[in-house]
Coordinates of all heavy atoms in Angstrom, one line a residue:
M1 N -22.8 2.0 7.9 CA -23.4 1.0 7.1 C -23.6 -0.3 7.9 O -22.7 -0.7 8.6 CB -22.5 0.7 5.9 CG -23.1 -0.2 4.9 SD -22.0 -0.7 3.5 CE -21.4 0.9 2.9
E2 N -24.8 -0.9 7.9 CA -25.0 -2.1 8.7 C -24.9 -3.3 7.8 O -25.0 -3.3 6.6 CB -26.4 -2.0 9.3 CG -26.6 -0.9 10.3 CD -28.0 -0.8 10.9 OE1 -28.6 -1.9 10.9 OE2 -28.3 0.2 11.4
G3 N -24.7 -4.4 8.5 CA -24.6 -5.7 7.8 C -23.4 -6.5 8.2 O -22.6 -6.1 9.0
D4 N -23.4 -7.7 7.7 CA -22.2 -8.6 8.0 C -21.0 -8.2 7.1 O -21.2 -7.7 6.0 CB -22.6 -10.0 7.6 CG -23.7 -10.6 8.6 OD1 -23.8 -10.1 9.7 OD2 -24.5 -11.4 8.1
F5 N -19.9 -8.3 7.7 CA -18.6 -8.0 7.1 C -17.7 -9.2 7.1 O -17.8 -10.0 7.9 CB -17.9 -6.8 7.8 CG -18.6 -5.5 7.7 CD1 -19.6 -5.2 8.6 CD2 -18.3 -4.6 6.7 CE1 -20.3 -4.0 8.5 CE2 -18.9 -3.4 6.6 CZ -19.9 -3.1 7.5
S6 N -16.9 -9.2 6.0 CA -15.8 -10.3 5.9 C -14.5 -9.6 5.7 O -14.5 -8.5 5.2 CB -16.1 -11.2 4.8 OG -17.3 -11.9 5.0
V7 N -13.4 -10.2 6.1 CA -12.1 -9.6 5.9 C -11.5 -10.2 4.6 O -11.4 -11.4 4.5 CB -11.2 -9.9 7.1 CG1 -9.8 -9.3 6.9 CG2 -11.8 -9.3 8.4
C8 N -11.1 -9.3 3.7 CA -10.4 -9.7 2.5 C -9.1 -10.3 2.8 O -8.3 -9.6 3.5 CB -10.3 -8.5 1.6 SG -9.4 -8.8 0.0
R9 N -8.8 -11.4 2.3 CA -7.5 -12.1 2.6 C -6.3 -11.4 1.9 O -5.2 -11.7 2.2 CB -7.5 -13.6 2.3 CG -7.8 -13.9 0.9 CD -8.1 -15.4 0.7 NE -8.8 -15.6 -0.5 CZ -8.5 -16.5 -1.4 NH1 -7.5 -17.3 -1.2 NH2 -9.1 -16.6 -2.5
N10 N -6.6 -10.6 0.9 CA -5.5 -9.9 0.2 C -5.2 -8.5 0.9 O -4.1 -8.3 1.3 CB -5.9 -9.7 -1.3 CG -4.7 -9.1 -2.1 OD1 -3.6 -9.7 -2.0 ND2 -5.0 -8.1 -2.8
C11 N -6.2 -7.6 1.0 CA -5.9 -6.3 1.5 C -6.2 -6.1 3.0 O -6.0 -5.1 3.6 CB -6.8 -5.3 0.7 SG -8.5 -5.3 1.0
K12 N -6.8 -7.1 3.6 CA -7.1 -7.2 5.0 C -8.1 -6.2 5.5 O -8.2 -5.8 6.6 CB -5.8 -7.0 5.9 CG -4.6 -7.8 5.4 CD -4.9 -9.3 5.6 CE -3.6 -10.1 5.3 NZ -3.7 -11.1 4.4
R13 N -8.9 -5.7 4.5 CA -10.0 -4.7 4.9 C -11.3 -5.4 5.1 O -11.5 -6.5 4.6 CB -10.1 -3.7 3.8 CG -8.9 -2.8 3.7 CD -9.1 -1.6 2.8 NE -7.9 -0.8 2.8 CZ -7.8 0.3 2.1 NH1 -8.7 0.6 1.2 NH2 -6.7 1.0 2.2
H14 N -12.1 -4.8 5.9 CA -13.5 -5.3 6.1 C -14.4 -4.9 5.0 O -14.4 -3.7 4.7 CB -14.0 -4.8 7.5 CG -13.3 -5.4 8.6 ND1 -12.1 -4.9 9.1 CD2 -13.7 -6.4 9.4 CE1 -11.8 -5.6 10.2 NE2 -12.7 -6.5 10.4
V15 N -15.0 -5.8 4.4 CA -15.9 -5.6 3.2 C -17.3 -6.1 3.5 O -17.4 -7.2 4.1 CB -15.3 -6.3 2.0 CG1 -16.2 -6.1 0.8 CG2 -13.9 -5.9 1.7
V16 N -18.3 -5.4 3.1 CA -19.7 -5.8 3.3 C -19.8 -7.2 2.7 O -19.4 -7.4 1.5 CB -20.7 -4.8 2.7 CG1 -22.1 -5.3 2.9 CG2 -20.5 -3.5 3.5
S17 N -20.4 -8.1 3.3 CA -20.5 -9.5 2.8 C -21.2 -9.6 1.5 O -20.9 -10.4 0.6 CB -21.2 -10.4 3.8 OG -20.4 -10.5 5.0
A18 N -22.2 -8.7 1.2 CA -22.9 -8.7 0.0 C -22.0 -8.4 -1.2 O -22.2 -8.9 -2.3 CB -24.1 -7.7 0.0
N19 N -20.9 -7.7 -1.0 CA -20.0 -7.3 -2.0 C -18.7 -8.1 -1.9 O -17.8 -7.8 -2.7 CB -19.6 -5.8 -1.9 CG -20.8 -4.9 -2.0 OD1 -21.8 -5.3 -2.7 ND2 -20.8 -3.7 -1.4
F20 N -18.6 -9.0 -1.0 CA -17.3 -9.6 -0.7 C -16.7 -10.4 -1.9 O -15.5 -10.2 -2.2 CB -17.4 -10.5 0.5 CG -16.1 -11.1 0.9 CD1 -15.1 -10.3 1.5 CD2 -15.8 -12.4 0.6 CE1 -13.9 -10.9 1.9 CE2 -14.6 -13.0 1.0 CZ -13.6 -12.2 1.6
T21 N -17.5 -11.2 -2.5 CA -16.9 -12.1 -3.6 C -16.4 -11.2 -4.7 O -15.3 -11.4 -5.2 CB -18.0 -13.0 -4.1 OG1 -18.5 -13.8 -3.0 CG2 -17.5 -13.9 -5.2
L22 N -17.1 -10.2 -5.1 CA -16.7 -9.3 -6.2 C -15.4 -8.5 -5.8 O -14.5 -8.4 -6.5 CB -17.8 -8.3 -6.6 CG -17.5 -7.4 -7.8 CD1 -17.3 -8.2 -9.0 CD2 -18.7 -6.5 -8.0
H23 N -15.5 -8.0 -4.5 CA -14.3 -7.2 -4.0 C -13.0 -8.1 -4.0 O -12.0 -7.7 -4.5 CB -14.6 -6.7 -2.6 CG -13.3 -6.3 -1.9 ND1 -12.8 -5.0 -2.1 CD2 -12.4 -7.0 -1.2 CE1 -11.6 -4.9 -1.4 NE2 -11.4 -6.1 -0.9
E24 N -13.2 -9.3 -3.5 CA -12.0 -10.1 -3.3 C -11.4 -10.6 -4.7 O -10.2 -10.6 -4.9 CB -12.2 -11.3 -2.4 CG -11.0 -12.0 -2.0 CD -11.2 -13.1 -0.9 OE1 -12.0 -14.0 -1.1 OE2 -10.4 -13.0 0.1
A25 N -12.3 -10.9 -5.6 CA -11.8 -11.2 -7.0 C -11.1 -10.1 -7.6 O -10.0 -10.3 -8.2 CB -13.0 -11.6 -7.8
Y26 N -11.6 -8.9 -7.5 CA -10.9 -7.7 -8.0 C -9.6 -7.5 -7.3 O -8.5 -7.3 -7.9 CB -11.8 -6.5 -7.9 CG -11.1 -5.2 -8.3 CD1 -11.1 -4.8 -9.7 CD2 -10.4 -4.4 -7.4 CE1 -10.5 -3.7 -10.1 CE2 -9.7 -3.3 -7.8 CZ -9.8 -2.9 -9.2 OH -9.1 -1.8 -9.6
C27 N -9.6 -7.5 -6.0 CA -8.5 -7.2 -5.1 C -7.3 -8.2 -5.4 O -6.2 -7.8 -5.6 CB -8.9 -7.3 -3.7 SG -7.7 -6.6 -2.5
L28 N -7.6 -9.5 -5.5 CA -6.6 -10.5 -5.7 C -6.0 -10.3 -7.1 O -4.8 -10.6 -7.3 CB -7.2 -11.9 -5.5 CG -7.4 -12.3 -4.1 CD1 -8.3 -13.6 -4.1 CD2 -6.2 -12.5 -3.3
R29 N -6.8 -9.9 -8.0 CA -6.3 -9.8 -9.4 C -5.4 -8.5 -9.6 O -4.5 -8.5 -10.4 CB -7.5 -9.8 -10.4 CG -7.0 -9.7 -11.8 CD -8.2 -10.0 -12.7 NE -7.7 -9.9 -14.1 CZ -8.5 -10.0 -15.2 NH1 -9.8 -10.1 -15.0 NH2 -8.0 -9.9 -16.4
F30 N -5.8 -7.4 -9.0 CA -5.2 -6.1 -9.3 C -4.4 -5.5 -8.2 O -3.6 -4.6 -8.5 CB -6.3 -5.1 -9.8 CG -7.0 -5.5 -11.1 CD1 -8.3 -6.0 -11.0 CD2 -6.3 -5.5 -12.3 CE1 -8.9 -6.4 -12.2 CE2 -6.9 -5.9 -13.5 CZ -8.2 -6.3 -13.4
L31 N -4.5 -5.9 -7.0 CA -3.9 -5.2 -5.9 C -2.9 -6.1 -5.2 O -3.1 -7.3 -5.1 CB -4.9 -4.6 -4.9 CG -6.0 -3.7 -5.4 CD1 -6.9 -3.3 -4.3 CD2 -5.3 -2.4 -6.1
V32 N -1.9 -5.5 -4.6 CA -0.9 -6.1 -3.7 C -0.7 -5.3 -2.5 O -0.9 -4.0 -2.6 CB 0.4 -6.4 -4.4 CG1 0.3 -7.4 -5.5 CG2 1.1 -5.1 -4.9
L33 N -0.4 -5.8 -1.4 CA -0.1 -5.1 -0.2 C 1.4 -4.6 -0.3 O 2.3 -5.4 -0.5 CB -0.3 -5.9 1.1 CG -1.6 -6.0 1.6 CD1 -1.6 -6.7 3.0 CD2 -2.3 -4.7 1.8
C34 N 1.6 -3.3 0.0 CA 3.0 -2.8 0.0 C 3.6 -3.4 1.3 O 3.1 -3.4 2.4 CB 2.9 -1.3 0.1 SG 4.6 -0.6 0.4
P35 N 4.8 -4.0 1.1 CA 5.5 -4.6 2.2 C 5.9 -3.6 3.3 O 6.2 -3.9 4.5 CB 6.7 -5.3 1.6 CG 6.9 -4.7 0.3 CD 5.6 -4.1 -0.1
E36 N 6.0 -2.3 2.9 CA 6.5 -1.3 3.9 C 5.3 -0.6 4.7 O 5.4 -0.5 5.9 CB 7.3 -0.2 3.2 CG 8.6 -0.8 2.6 CD 9.7 0.2 2.6 OE1 9.7 1.2 3.4 OE2 10.6 0.1 1.7
C37 N 4.3 -0.2 3.9 CA 3.2 0.5 4.6 C 1.9 -0.3 4.8 O 1.0 0.1 5.4 CB 2.9 1.8 3.9 SG 2.2 1.6 2.2
E38 N 1.9 -1.5 4.2 CA 0.8 -2.4 4.2 C -0.5 -1.9 3.7 O -1.6 -2.3 4.1 CB 0.6 -3.0 5.6 CG 1.8 -3.8 6.1 CD 1.6 -4.4 7.5 OE1 0.6 -4.2 8.1 OE2 2.6 -5.0 7.9
E39 N -0.4 -0.9 2.7 CA -1.5 -0.4 2.0 C -1.7 -1.1 0.7 O -0.7 -1.5 0.0 CB -1.3 1.1 1.7 CG -1.4 2.0 3.0 CD -2.8 2.0 3.6 OE1 -3.8 2.1 2.8 OE2 -2.9 1.9 4.8
P40 N -3.0 -1.3 0.3 CA -3.2 -2.0 -1.0 C -2.8 -1.0 -2.1 O -3.2 0.2 -2.1 CB -4.7 -2.3 -1.0 CG -5.3 -1.7 0.2 CD -4.2 -1.1 1.0
V41 N -2.0 -1.5 -3.1 CA -1.5 -0.7 -4.2 C -1.7 -1.5 -5.5 O -1.5 -2.7 -5.5 CB 0.0 -0.4 -4.0 CG1 0.6 0.4 -5.2 CG2 0.3 0.3 -2.7
P42 N -2.2 -0.8 -6.6 CA -2.3 -1.5 -7.9 C -0.9 -2.2 -8.2 O 0.1 -1.5 -8.1 CB -2.6 -0.4 -8.9 CG -3.3 0.6 -8.0 CD -2.6 0.6 -6.7
K43 N -1.0 -3.4 -8.7 CA 0.2 -4.2 -9.0 C 1.1 -3.4 -10.0 O 2.3 -3.3 -9.8 CB -0.1 -5.5 -9.6 CG -0.7 -6.5 -8.7 CD -1.0 -7.8 -9.3 CE -1.6 -8.8 -8.3 NZ -2.0 -10.1 -9.0
E44 N 0.5 -2.7 -11.0 CA 1.3 -2.1 -12.0 C 2.0 -0.8 -11.5 O 2.9 -0.3 -12.2 CB 0.5 -1.8 -13.3 CG -0.5 -0.7 -13.1 CD -1.9 -1.3 -13.1 OE1 -2.1 -2.5 -13.1 OE2 -2.8 -0.4 -13.1
T45 N 1.6 -0.3 -10.4 CA 2.2 0.9 -9.9 C 3.0 0.7 -8.6 O 3.4 1.7 -8.0 CB 1.1 2.0 -9.6 OG1 0.2 1.6 -8.6 CG2 0.4 2.4 -10.9
M46 N 3.3 -0.5 -8.2 CA 4.0 -0.8 -7.0 C 5.4 -0.2 -7.0 O 5.8 0.4 -6.0 CB 4.1 -2.3 -6.7 CG 4.9 -2.7 -5.5 SD 4.3 -1.9 -4.0 CE 3.0 -3.0 -3.5
E47 N 6.1 -0.3 -8.1 CA 7.5 0.2 -8.1 C 7.4 1.7 -8.0 O 8.2 2.3 -7.2 CB 8.1 -0.2 -9.5 CG 9.6 0.2 -9.5 CD 10.2 -0.3 -10.8 OE1 9.8 -1.3 -11.4 OE2 11.2 0.4 -11.2
E48 N 6.5 2.4 -8.6 CA 6.4 3.8 -8.5 C 6.0 4.2 -7.1 O 6.5 5.2 -6.5 CB 5.4 4.3 -9.5 CG 5.1 5.8 -9.5 CD 4.1 6.3 -10.5 OE1 3.5 5.5 -11.2 OE2 3.8 7.5 -10.5
H49 N 5.1 3.5 -6.5 CA 4.6 3.7 -5.2 C 5.8 3.7 -4.2 O 6.0 4.6 -3.4 CB 3.6 2.7 -4.7 CG 3.3 2.6 -3.3 ND1 2.5 3.5 -2.6 CD2 3.8 1.8 -2.3 CE1 2.4 3.3 -1.3 NE2 3.2 2.2 -1.1
C50 N 6.6 2.7 -4.3 CA 7.8 2.5 -3.4 C 8.7 3.7 -3.6 O 9.3 4.2 -2.6 CB 8.5 1.2 -3.7 SG 7.5 -0.2 -3.1
K51 N 9.0 4.1 -4.8 CA 9.9 5.2 -5.1 C 9.3 6.5 -4.5 O 10.1 7.2 -3.8 CB 10.1 5.4 -6.6 CG 11.0 4.3 -7.2 CD 11.2 4.6 -8.6 CE 12.1 3.4 -9.3 NZ 12.1 3.6 -10.7
L52 N 8.1 6.8 -4.7 CA 7.5 8.0 -4.3 C 7.2 8.1 -2.8 O 7.4 9.1 -2.2 CB 6.2 8.3 -5.1 CG 6.3 8.6 -6.6 CD1 5.0 8.7 -7.2 CD2 7.2 9.8 -6.8
E53 N 6.7 7.0 -2.3 CA 6.2 7.0 -0.9 C 7.3 6.6 0.1 O 7.2 7.0 1.3 CB 5.0 6.1 -0.7 CG 3.8 6.5 -1.6 CD 3.2 7.8 -1.2 OE1 3.2 8.1 0.1 OE2 2.8 8.5 -2.1
H54 N 8.2 5.8 -0.3 CA 9.2 5.3 0.7 C 10.6 5.6 0.5 O 11.5 5.4 1.3 CB 9.0 3.8 0.8 CG 7.6 3.3 1.0 ND1 6.9 3.7 2.2 CD2 6.7 2.6 0.3 CE1 5.7 3.2 2.1 NE2 5.6 2.5 1.0
Q55 N 11.0 6.2 -0.7 CA 12.4 6.5 -1.0 C 12.9 7.6 -0.1 O 14.0 7.5 0.4 CB 12.5 6.9 -2.5 CG 13.9 7.0 -2.9 CD 14.7 5.7 -2.8 OE1 14.1 4.6 -3.1 NE2 15.9 5.7 -2.4
Q56 N 12.1 8.6 0.2 CA 12.6 9.7 1.1 C 13.0 9.2 2.4 O 14.0 9.5 3.0 CB 11.5 10.8 1.2 CG 12.0 12.0 2.0 CD 10.9 13.0 2.1 OE1 9.8 12.8 1.8 NE2 11.3 14.2 2.6
G57 N 12.2 8.3 3.0 CA 12.5 7.7 4.3 C 13.8 6.9 4.2 O 14.6 7.0 5.1
K58 N 14.1 6.2 3.1 CA 15.3 5.4 3.0 C 16.5 6.3 2.8 O 17.5 6.1 3.4 CB 15.2 4.5 1.8 CG 14.3 3.3 2.0 CD 14.2 2.4 0.8 CE 13.2 1.3 1.1 NZ 13.0 0.4 0.0
E59 N 16.3 7.4 2.1 CA 17.4 8.4 1.9 C 17.8 9.0 3.3 O 18.9 9.2 3.6 CB 17.0 9.5 0.9 CG 17.0 8.9 -0.5 CD 16.4 9.9 -1.5 OE1 16.0 11.0 -1.0 OE2 16.3 9.6 -2.7
F60 N 16.8 9.3 4.1 CA 17.0 9.9 5.4 C 17.8 8.9 6.3 O 18.7 9.2 6.9 CB 15.7 10.3 6.1 CG 15.9 10.9 7.4 CD1 16.4 12.2 7.6 CD2 15.6 10.1 8.6 CE1 16.6 12.7 8.8 CE2 15.8 10.7 9.8 CZ 16.3 11.9 10.0
Q61 N 17.4 7.6 6.2 CA 18.1 6.6 7.0 C 19.5 6.5 6.6 O 20.4 6.3 7.4 CB 17.4 5.3 6.9 CG 16.0 5.2 7.6 CD 15.3 3.9 7.4 OE1 15.7 3.1 6.5 NE2 14.2 3.7 8.1
L62 N 19.8 6.6 5.3 CA 21.2 6.5 4.8 C 22.0 7.7 5.3 O 23.2 7.5 5.6 CB 21.2 6.4 3.3 CG 20.6 5.1 2.7 CD1 20.6 5.3 1.1 CD2 21.5 3.9 3.0
L63 N 21.4 8.8 5.4 CA 22.1 10.0 5.8 C 22.2 10.2 7.3 O 22.9 11.1 7.8 CB 21.4 11.3 5.2 CG 21.5 11.4 3.7 CD1 20.6 12.5 3.2 CD2 22.9 11.6 3.2
K64 N 21.4 9.4 8.0 CA 21.3 9.6 9.5 C 22.6 9.7 10.2 O 22.7 10.5 11.1 CB 20.4 8.5 10.0 CG 19.6 8.8 11.3 CD 18.7 7.7 11.6 CE 17.9 8.0 12.8 NZ 16.9 6.9 13.1
G65 N 23.5 8.9 9.9 CA 24.8 8.8 10.6 C 25.8 9.9 10.2 O 26.8 10.0 10.8
K66 N 25.5 10.6 9.1 CA 26.4 11.6 8.6 C 26.1 12.9 9.1 O 25.1 13.2 9.6 CB 26.3 11.6 7.1 CG 26.7 10.2 6.5 CD 26.6 10.2 5.0 CE 27.0 8.8 4.4 NZ 26.9 8.8 3.0
S67 N 27.1 13.8 9.0 CA 26.9 15.2 9.5 C 26.1 16.1 8.6 O 25.6 17.1 9.0 CB 28.3 15.9 9.7 OG 29.0 15.9 8.5
T68 N 25.9 15.7 7.4 CA 25.1 16.5 6.4 C 23.7 15.9 6.3 O 23.5 14.7 6.2 CB 25.7 16.5 5.0 OG1 27.1 16.9 5.1 CG2 25.0 17.4 4.1
V69 N 22.7 16.8 6.4 CA 21.3 16.4 6.3 C 20.7 17.2 5.1 O 20.8 18.5 5.1 CB 20.5 16.6 7.5 CG1 19.0 16.3 7.3 CG2 21.0 15.8 8.7
I70 N 20.2 16.6 4.1 CA 19.6 17.3 3.0 C 18.1 17.3 3.1 O 17.5 16.2 3.4 CB 20.0 16.6 1.7 CG1 21.5 16.6 1.5 CG2 19.3 17.2 0.5 CD1 22.0 15.7 0.4
I71 N 17.5 18.5 3.0 CA 16.0 18.6 3.1 C 15.5 19.0 1.7 O 15.9 20.0 1.2 CB 15.6 19.6 4.1 CG1 16.1 19.2 5.5 CG2 14.1 19.8 4.1 CD1 15.9 20.2 6.6
A72 N 14.7 18.2 1.1 CA 14.1 18.5 -0.2 C 12.8 19.2 0.0 O 12.0 18.9 0.9 CB 13.9 17.2 -0.9
T73 N 12.6 20.2 -0.8 CA 11.4 20.9 -0.9 C 10.8 20.9 -2.2 O 11.5 20.7 -3.2 CB 11.6 22.4 -0.5 OG1 12.5 23.0 -1.4 CG2 12.1 22.6 0.9
K74 N 9.5 21.0 -2.3 CA 8.8 20.9 -3.6 C 8.5 22.3 -4.1 O 8.3 23.2 -3.4 CB 7.5 20.1 -3.5 CG 7.8 18.6 -3.2 CD 6.5 17.9 -3.2 CE 6.8 16.4 -3.0 NZ 5.6 15.6 -3.1

């Protein structure tokens, strides 16, 4: 896609300038950046996102120093 791009100050993504105002208004209202993965996530699902996407890594870090390692399978 050709054209000028601007960087959204909320999600840090490059957006076509023609769509920038609408994108940024939506983004600032409904999305937040996850502090761990820096991905834009809907505000209302941030808690769920953190539990699903980052909890496994935290559990692994907690178990790292112990002799038992638990591997979860789906």
Side-chain angles (χ1 to χ4, degrees):
M1 191 186 302
E2 293 183 23
D4 293 330
F5 291 86
S6 298
V7 177
C8 175
R9 60 189 160 133
N10 188 49
C11 70
K12 311 298 187 232
R13 293 191 175 173
H14 290 83
V15 180
V16 176
S17 293
N19 301 332
F20 182 75
T21 303
L22 185 60
H23 165 86
E24 194 170 51
Y26 176 87
C27 192
L28 287 167
R29 183 171 180 185
F30 295 108
L31 302 178
V32 292
L33 276 186
C34 173
E36 295 211 27
C37 65
E38 298 183 1
E39 287 294 318
V41 178
K43 287 179 182 179
E44 70 252 5
T45 63
M46 176 57 83
E47 186 176 333
E48 180 182 357
H49 165 81
C50 289
K51 286 179 184 175
L52 294 175
E53 299 295 325
H54 305 300
Q55 190 62 38
Q56 184 178 13
K58 288 180 182 177
E59 289 171 359
F60 179 76
Q61 288 175 352
L62 292 173
L63 294 172
K64 206 172 183 180
K66 299 180 181 179
S67 59
T68 305
V69 175
I70 300 169
I71 299 173
T73 59
K74 290 186 179 184

